[in-house]
Amino acid sequence: MKTLIKNAKIVNEGKIFSGDILIENDRISKISEGISGERAERIIEANGKLLLPGIIDDQVHFREPGLTHKGNIATESRAAIAGGVTSFIDQPNTLPNTVTQKLLEQKYQLAKGNSYANYGFMMGGTNDNIEELLKTNPKNVPAIKLFLGSSTGNMLVDNPKTLEEIFTRVPMLICVHAEDESTIKRNTEEFISRYGEDIPMEYHHLIRSEEACYRSSSSAVKLAERTGARLHVFHISTEKETSIFRSDVPLVEKKITAEVCIHHLHFTSDDYKEKGTLIKWNPAIKTTEDKEGLWKALLEDRIDVIATDHAPHTLEEKQNVYTKSPSGGPLVQHSLQVMLEYYKKGKISLERIVEKMAHNPAILFRIEKRGFIREGYKADLVIVDMEAETTVSRENILYSCGWSPLDGKKFHSKVTHTFVNGHLAYEKGKFSTERCGEGLLYSGI
């Protein structure tokens, strides 16, 4: 099937230009200022709307298997494509934890024919599964994931000898959740002694503190430098951490990289008073100064990728007292809209948004034929109306959990069309009945 998109404002590889795009089956076959003479079964008149490469979210928790009362691959990938996210990489702290090749393959089978978006699943490391990690195929699996601080799930890797061995022997990209466990335990005990189980939320960023984050991330970077490992540090949350990452080499040459999440760019610790446990994440949302430091590092290319850490829980679970409320929240439907608001405020350019949310994840994870608008690449594309207004509400939230920390937020943009592998998966609020997501492929080590 051929689809012709006419008169779009294309944002790609540092340029913005008006043009047409021809899609044939699952690929972009032609990009031109004007395409004529083509017989296309579908013609979409963009009328100057933005046309972007599909967003690649490198860190989500879609909760399947084992935690499907919170969400599943179908529901969360459906929400993702409504927000312009055409590919996601899911984390291993499901139930059971994805720590063997057999369990990893089972997750891929769950997604096959079930996901609206393209998918990848990380292999999880533990203190005793090094041999399983070494069996991982880098052509089909994006990375190894290590939790250096305990979070939702039970996958803490805290044995220094094990870490040394993983960083030395595993040739694949290693992604880490970096928080120092001993620091968090000490801080938690101190605040429980003062407040009991119902610790006020405004202390969360003092429990999962700057010290906890910096100690762990800087230690991981030093280990990677010593062993030569490829390291990607997830969800940097403090200004201090940004000082350990480089901006003087292009991403394709970097062996140590960093990511920031939407919530750390959008909220601050001042928002705990209003939002409470709804914005409880690990690592914690920090101060206004930290937020501004993250933005500075992002724009200076010390931080390479923007992601969500989409991690839904039921509202009932989140409304528990501090010590019993799980960390994480749903964001994948609204991540692009959040960043486009900052574009409208003059904080970041459209070109940089596309770079950090589409191009760079594709480069970092060596994803084949995605992340760019190029002839011959997979047709993962998003059309955005920059003049539309939408307000987040319970009626239009698509997450299985039914809530969002952005409830009531007004956006001045709207995704109107999402193509996944050339298939029009989402159009003006309506979803295709077909689920055309494919497993992502990678160029390997």
Side-chain angles (χ1 to χ4, degrees):
M1 181 176 181
K2 290 185 180 181
T3 298
L4 179 60
I5 304 173
K6 298 283 293 180
N7 301 310
K9 186 177 179 181
I10 300 168
V11 186
N12 186 57
E13 299 191 70
K15 297 178 181 178
I16 300 176
F17 59 97
S18 297
D20 302 348
I21 289 184
L22 182 66
I23 301 169
E24 294 192 55
N25 299 317
D26 64 343
R27 305 272 173 169
I28 299 168
S29 65
K30 192 172 183 180
I31 305 166
S32 176
E33 288 184 4
I35 298 174
S36 59
E38 291 284 353
R39 296 175 63 88
E41 289 87 346
R42 180 191 293 120
I43 298 175
I44 295 174
E45 178 53 65
N47 287 317
K49 295 184 182 69
L50 293 186
L51 180 61
L52 316 176
I55 302 306
I56 301 172
D57 194 332
D58 78 347
Q59 189 189 178
V60 304
H61 303 261
F62 280 0
R63 303 306 191 194
E64 191 171 3
L67 298 164
T68 51
H69 68 286
K70 303 173 190 280
N72 59 52
I73 291 168
T75 61
E76 307 313 285
S77 66
R78 186 171 179 266
I81 64 168
V85 176
T86 57
S87 299
F88 65 86
I89 297 176
D90 191 74
Q91 303 306 298
N93 56 332
T94 44
L95 289 178
N97 298 153
T98 314
V99 295
T100 69
Q101 295 300 316
K102 181 179 179 180
L103 291 169
L104 180 61
E105 177 58 25
Q106 286 175 2
K107 284 185 79 169
Y108 275 96
Q109 291 303 316
L110 283 171
K112 191 175 182 180
N114 195 32
S115 181
Y116 288 86
N118 305 308
Y119 49 88
F121 297 96
M122 288 195 185
M123 176 68 176
T126 70
N127 278 326
D128 56 9
N129 76 334
I130 180 70
E131 296 306 320
E132 286 292 314
L133 297 183
L134 292 172
K135 296 175 187 175
T136 306
N137 183 352
K139 297 285 188 179
N140 298 324
V141 180
I144 302 300
K145 170 67 179 290
L146 303 179
F147 287 88
L148 306 184
S150 61
S151 188
T152 303
N154 185 28
M155 294 185 63
L156 177 64
V157 183
D158 58 355
N159 185 320
K161 185 177 178 181
T162 298
L163 286 171
E164 182 88 25
E165 186 176 18
I166 291 172
F167 274 63
T168 301
R169 295 181 63 193
V170 172
M172 295 177 62
L173 178 66
I174 298 169
C175 297
V176 297
H177 175 132
E179 290 183 284
D180 181 67
E181 189 68 12
S182 61
T183 302
I184 294 168
K185 282 185 176 179
R186 183 183 70 244
N187 292 341
T188 302
E189 288 169 3
E190 177 188 336
F191 278 90
I192 286 178
S193 70
R194 289 163 59 183
Y195 295 100
E197 298 291 309
D198 195 9
I199 300 169
M201 257 306 296
E202 53 261 38
Y203 295 120
H204 183 52
H205 73 293
L206 301 180
I207 294 172
R208 302 189 84 101
S209 63
E210 176 192 83
E211 178 192 4
C213 294
Y214 182 79
R215 286 185 65 179
S216 184
S217 56
S218 61
S219 176
V221 167
K222 287 176 184 175
L223 181 57
E225 288 174 338
R226 189 171 74 249
T227 59
R230 286 182 65 217
L231 173 69
H232 183 53
V233 183
F234 276 152
H235 43 47
I236 296 295
S237 64
T238 71
E239 179 181 24
K240 187 175 182 180
E241 288 171 282
T242 67
S243 66
I244 62 180
F245 298 99
R246 298 177 60 180
S247 62
D248 59 339
V249 292
L251 177 58
V252 71
E253 296 176 16
K254 285 186 181 183
K255 295 196 74 172
I256 299 172
T257 52
E259 169 200 288
V260 67
C261 286
I262 292 293
H263 46 284
H264 292 126
L265 292 174
H266 185 67
F267 296 109
T268 74
S269 53
D270 294 338
D271 295 309
Y272 287 131
K273 193 167 290 185
E274 177 191 348
K275 297 286 186 178
T277 54
L278 295 184
I279 58 168
K280 184 186 181 192
W281 266 276
N282 298 338
I285 291 162
K286 305 296 198 300
T287 66
T288 299
E289 291 74 22
D290 286 308
K291 174 182 170 180
E292 289 309 310
L294 294 171
W295 271 103
K296 187 173 188 291
L298 178 72
L299 297 174
E300 292 178 354
D301 293 332
R302 283 176 283 137
I303 293 178
D304 306 287
V305 171
I306 299 170
T308 64
D309 194 14
H310 173 90
H313 300 282
T314 68
L315 198 55
E316 182 181 12
E317 289 169 332
K318 289 295 283 185
Q319 289 175 336
N320 275 313
V321 298
Y322 175 84
T323 53
K324 292 181 169 60
S325 176
S327 290
L331 280 173
V332 76
Q333 183 183 343
H334 303 106
S335 58
L336 178 57
Q337 285 178 298
V338 169
M339 293 310 298
L340 290 174
E341 288 298 298
Y342 284 105
Y343 157 71
K344 285 180 174 281
K345 293 175 182 177
K347 190 84 170 176
I348 188 171
S349 70
L350 292 173
E351 298 96 318
R352 297 304 290 278
I353 292 172
V354 168
E355 177 187 57
K356 302 292 184 178
M357 299 184 80
H359 300 339
N360 283 4
I363 294 168
L364 175 62
F365 290 91
R366 301 174 181 175
I367 300 171
E368 292 187 351
K369 300 291 184 180
R370 301 188 193 273
F372 296 85
I373 299 177
R374 292 174 179 170
E375 292 178 0
Y377 271 52
K378 292 280 190 172
D380 297 337
L381 300 167
V382 180
I383 300 176
V384 181
D385 185 347
M386 292 297 285
E387 304 303 320
E389 287 191 356
T390 58
T391 300
V392 181
S393 69
R394 298 292 172 90
E395 288 70 39
N396 56 36
I397 290 169
L398 297 171
Y399 313 124
S400 179
C401 65
W403 65 274
S404 167
L406 298 166
D407 195 2
K409 172 74 175 174
K410 179 185 282 189
F411 292 116
H412 301 86
S413 66
K414 187 176 184 179
V415 172
T416 61
H417 300 72
T418 303
F419 289 87
V420 179
N421 302 309
H423 176 74
L424 184 54
Y426 175 80
E427 181 179 16
K428 297 177 181 178
K430 296 182 180 179
F431 295 88
S432 168
T433 56
E434 297 179 60
R435 304 176 189 182
C436 294
E438 298 176 351
L440 298 172
L441 298 175
Y442 315 89
S443 59
I445 298 165

